[in-house]
Amino acid sequence: MELRDIETFLVLAEELHFGRTAQRLHVSTARVSQAIKRQERQIGGLLFDRSTRTVRLSPLGEQLRNDLRPVYADLQESIERARRVARGVTGALRVGMIPFNTYDLRPCWDTFRRQHPQWSLHIRRASFVDPFAALRSGEHDILVAWLPIDEPDLTVGPVLFSDRRILAVSADHELARRPSVSLEALADFPNGMGQRLPDYWEDAYLPFRSPRGQVIERGALVTNSDDLIHLVSLGDTVQVFPIHVTDHWAMPDVRWLPITDLPRLNYALVWRTETEIIRAMARIVADLGPLLR
């Protein structure tokens, strides 16, 4: 199989739709169909079970997908490393961002690129679900996450920025006309939260109990921030956010209320294995100091 055929197979195995696969690969649907048929002839068996309504991986296709995924990922990484070397780039730093404010932190990224042109910098969104898994698997070199972080195998570096916290509620919510709210008021409504979070880390973001000891209910468990704000807009939940999200979500059906008695949320660099590249980024962040909102 040629590299392009492997890519076609893996994208179709993910999309399970010939039209969407063709769109992702910027080719015609007929080209995708022809490539899959050619692969099936070469292998001697069906990779997909097709009907007029559905496309499913066959058992043979599932086995091939599982075998090819890591091989293809390693090959792509090898090609990218070769491209970097050809450009004079000798290393790469992959930063996972749980917060949204990548643009606000441009002074940090620009300083790194200016001072270290021999290294490439890749900024990616990171999930708050099982938040440290990507560091431990090696997918990210650095994670930007809120504090505190108390993980024996992880190192907490300098604070990158510090944000006030606000409450998002639907426009017709009973809290919407208030100028501000206290943490105590959150105990009267269901709050959204992510899954597989360390208890101490979740409690730092949104305490499990109010100052008077009432339980602050977690009513909706979600896997991404878009789902959280969607539930807020429907009135199904209220949600605490760092204030920088208001620069990214302009929603007429959501109101943002200052929370009077929650301290700022600090976001810092976190890493597992310290390298020269990571030390360079940490020095830049420490020199520039935290961004305050």
Side-chain angles (χ1 to χ4, degrees):
M1 295 174 68
E2 297 182 0
L3 184 60
R4 184 61 169 175
D5 288 340
I6 293 174
E7 182 182 26
T8 300
F9 167 74
L10 289 175
V11 173
L12 182 59
E14 179 181 335
E15 293 288 351
L16 296 178
H17 190 282
F18 280 85
R20 289 195 298 268
T21 298
Q23 290 176 354
R24 279 182 56 177
L25 298 175
H26 305 291
V27 299
S28 67
T29 303
R31 177 73 66 84
V32 174
S33 181
Q34 291 166 6
I36 297 301
K37 288 178 180 178
R38 182 169 60 250
Q39 294 170 40
E40 290 175 332
R41 286 196 301 270
Q42 292 172 347
I43 292 171
L46 291 178
L47 299 175
F48 295 90
D49 295 325
R50 315 172 195 40
S51 72
T52 57
R53 294 184 177 180
T54 62
V55 177
R56 295 181 303 164
L57 278 166
S58 69
L60 177 62
E62 290 184 1
Q63 176 186 322
L64 185 62
R65 176 200 59 192
N66 295 339
D67 290 343
L68 283 180
R69 268 180 175 169
V71 175
Y72 182 73
D74 289 344
L75 183 58
Q76 290 291 91
E77 177 59 26
S78 297
I79 293 172
E80 181 56 30
R81 282 199 301 268
R83 287 173 177 158
R84 290 197 297 264
V85 171
R87 299 195 307 268
V89 177
T90 59
L93 182 65
R94 300 163 300 173
V95 178
M97 289 278 295
I98 289 179
F100 289 8
N101 56 342
T102 302
Y103 183 82
D104 298 336
L105 303 172
R106 283 291 297 275
C108 176
W109 317 137
D110 291 346
T111 301
F112 181 88
R113 290 184 172 113
R114 184 173 61 253
Q115 293 185 3
H116 302 286
Q118 75 277 25
W119 296 327
S120 62
L121 177 63
H122 306 282
I123 311 296
R124 301 288 184 266
R125 288 288 301 276
S127 173
F128 57 76
V129 176
D130 198 4
F132 310 123
L135 277 181
R136 289 171 173 144
S137 70
E139 181 181 348
H140 295 148
D141 302 306
I142 288 178
L143 178 68
V144 178
W146 69 77
L147 299 179
I149 293 174
D150 184 16
E151 304 292 314
D153 60 329
L154 300 182
T155 299
V156 177
V159 172
L160 189 56
F161 71 95
S162 181
D163 253 8
R164 289 173 288 138
R165 277 177 274 188
I166 54 177
L167 185 70
V169 302
S170 65
D172 56 359
H173 194 277
E174 62 183 270
L175 295 177
R177 289 187 174 85
R178 293 192 185 184
S180 63
V181 294
S182 67
L183 182 60
E184 198 67 43
L186 273 62
D188 296 330
F189 308 98
N191 295 260
M193 204 61 219
Q195 302 178 41
R196 301 195 301 279
L197 308 184
D199 285 348
Y200 75 89
W201 197 64
E202 180 179 350
D203 185 68
Y205 187 92
L206 175 63
F208 290 113
R209 290 187 177 275
S210 73
R212 295 179 182 175
Q214 295 188 77
V215 173
I216 298 180
E217 177 190 353
R218 269 62 170 173
L221 292 176
V222 298
T223 59
N224 60 76
S225 298
D226 289 336
D227 286 346
L228 273 176
I229 198 65
H230 177 66
L231 291 174
V232 169
S233 69
L234 295 176
D236 293 341
T237 184
V238 301
Q239 181 60 39
V240 172
F241 285 105
I243 196 170
H244 74 260
V245 304
T246 59
D247 295 335
H248 304 272
W249 281 326
M251 305 179 68
D253 50 356
V254 173
R255 298 290 180 270
W256 306 97
L257 309 177
I259 302 174
T260 58
D261 52 352
L262 271 181
R264 284 180 174 271
L265 199 60
N266 293 324
Y267 286 79
L269 304 184
V270 187
W271 60 83
R272 185 180 185 191
T273 304
E274 186 168 303
T275 63
E276 183 183 0
I277 301 178
I278 290 175
R279 286 194 294 272
M281 177 61 81
R283 283 194 299 270
I284 288 170
V285 170
D287 289 345
L288 292 177
L291 172 70
L292 300 180
R293 288 291 302 269

